[in-house]
Amino acid sequence: MLKITHPDYILPIIEGLVAGRVLSSGRTRPMIIQGVCRQTGLKGEYVVKLKGSNHLWQGSSQNEILGSFLASELGFQVPEPVIVNISDEFAETMERHENYKVASRSLGYNFGSTLQNGYQELLSGQPLNKDLQSRLLDLFAFDVLIGNTDRRGDKPNFLTNGEDLLIFDHELAFSFTQQLSFARNPSPWLILPGDIQWLKENFCYQQLKGNSHNFSNFVDRLSVINETFWKKAWLSIPEDWRNEHFDVIREYLTRVIEHRNEFATELKRVLL
């Protein structure tokens, strides 16, 4: 997919056509659908997270799409994010579907992504080649950067093709936005003792702990998260998904990026 800062980038809007199966993994019960893109007229298969799910909240869609935008801009492979429109007509076709009630509460724009093939789960105990270890190192740094507490040992939220990672599920990222403003880390490039517990549960931490690592490659790339990126991200997010957390996230990450070398030192420290 194109990065959102590319002049030709357009966020696809998908009209739901046919409801498919509910994915067994995922507490939000994501669903595969067939849909058609408004801008191109092309049909495809997509995964949609219905906003009427009991496990999603008003800010989930903004978190999801912003997490995808950031990951893509930093060079991670992500399923291409899309907007899935759930119309009354589409919801009516789901009357006998197990997700009908959720769909009927999810009319309008929902976060979705293009269905990806060619990736599978990383097997328990699977040896890591240099490419995968490098990507896990970057992914750990990314999770710390965005405060993503949801990539746990039992729920890695990525797939692999043996050489690269396909990462997803960012609705619980930016956990610092859930803190009162005066309780947030005043120096967000530093990792506080209170963060260690969720870091220990992070899948990548468990794979990387006990060794000295170099994060210079990751932090050098952070310069792409600049004012151009934030302006394009804001304009790309549907208006009814936007909330006040966007500015909190922008300011928080900007401060980390301004202290990127100290951030790299902190990442190295917590893995030793």
Side-chain angles (χ1 to χ4, degrees), residues 51-199:
K51 61 186 178 183
S53 167
N54 292 331
H55 294 283
L56 293 180
W57 59 288
Q58 190 273 335
S60 296
S61 296
Q62 178 173 270
N63 280 5
E64 281 279 17
I65 200 164
L66 188 53
S68 293
F69 287 164
L70 285 162
S72 176
E73 200 71 21
L74 289 170
F76 292 97
Q77 295 297 315
V78 297
E80 181 181 13
V82 300
I83 298 169
V84 176
N85 184 49
I86 303 296
S87 64
D88 286 301
E89 294 81 2
F90 176 67
E92 288 174 6
T93 69
M94 293 179 59
E95 188 172 0
R96 297 176 182 242
H97 192 281
E98 60 180 304
N99 247 7
Y100 170 66
K101 289 184 178 180
V102 181
S104 65
R105 298 195 300 267
S106 305
L107 300 181
Y109 284 176
N110 294 258
F111 175 81
S113 58
T114 302
L115 182 66
Q116 299 287 315
N117 296 308
Y119 291 84
Q120 60 186 20
E121 293 183 4
L122 187 70
L123 301 177
S124 178
Q126 178 178 334
L128 300 177
N129 58 40
K130 289 184 178 180
D131 289 335
L132 284 183
Q133 185 164 2
S134 175
R135 298 312 281 163
L136 284 179
L137 196 67
D138 286 347
L139 185 54
F140 174 71
F142 181 65
D143 283 341
V144 179
L145 174 70
I146 66 171
N148 182 21
T149 62
D150 198 36
R151 201 181 315 281
R152 306 186 308 271
D154 62 334
K155 188 175 179 285
N157 288 340
F158 70 77
L159 300 173
T160 180
N161 59 6
E163 297 179 355
D164 205 347
L165 306 177
L166 182 77
I167 70 173
F168 47 85
D169 276 1
H170 297 106
E171 77 263 13
L172 294 180
F174 315 112
S175 53
F176 49 84
T177 63
Q178 301 306 306
Q179 299 173 308
L180 296 173
S181 58
F182 62 82
R184 292 183 192 126
N185 185 352
S187 303
W189 57 92
L190 301 179
I191 298 172
L192 300 179
D195 295 320
I196 297 301
Q197 183 56 48
W198 75 260
L199 289 180

Side-chain angles (χ1 to χ4, degrees), residues 122 126 128 133 136 202-209 211:
L122 187 70
Q126 178 178 334
L128 300 177
Q133 185 164 2
L136 284 179
N202 182 273
F203 179 92
C204 305
Y205 177 96
Q206 296 172 11
Q207 298 290 321
L208 301 168
K209 175 65 176 171
N211 292 292

Side-chain angles (χ1 to χ4, degrees), residues 245-259:
H245 288 168
F246 184 92
D247 287 336
V248 174
I249 293 165
R250 179 183 59 191
E251 293 167 9
Y252 196 94
L253 267 60
T254 296
R255 296 192 68 203
V256 177
I257 293 167
E258 289 172 347
H259 296 265

Side-chain angles (χ1 to χ4, degrees), residues 34-45:
Q34 295 178 32
V36 59
C37 178
R38 281 187 190 175
Q39 295 99 321
T40 66
L42 297 177
K43 295 181 179 179
E45 287 190 300

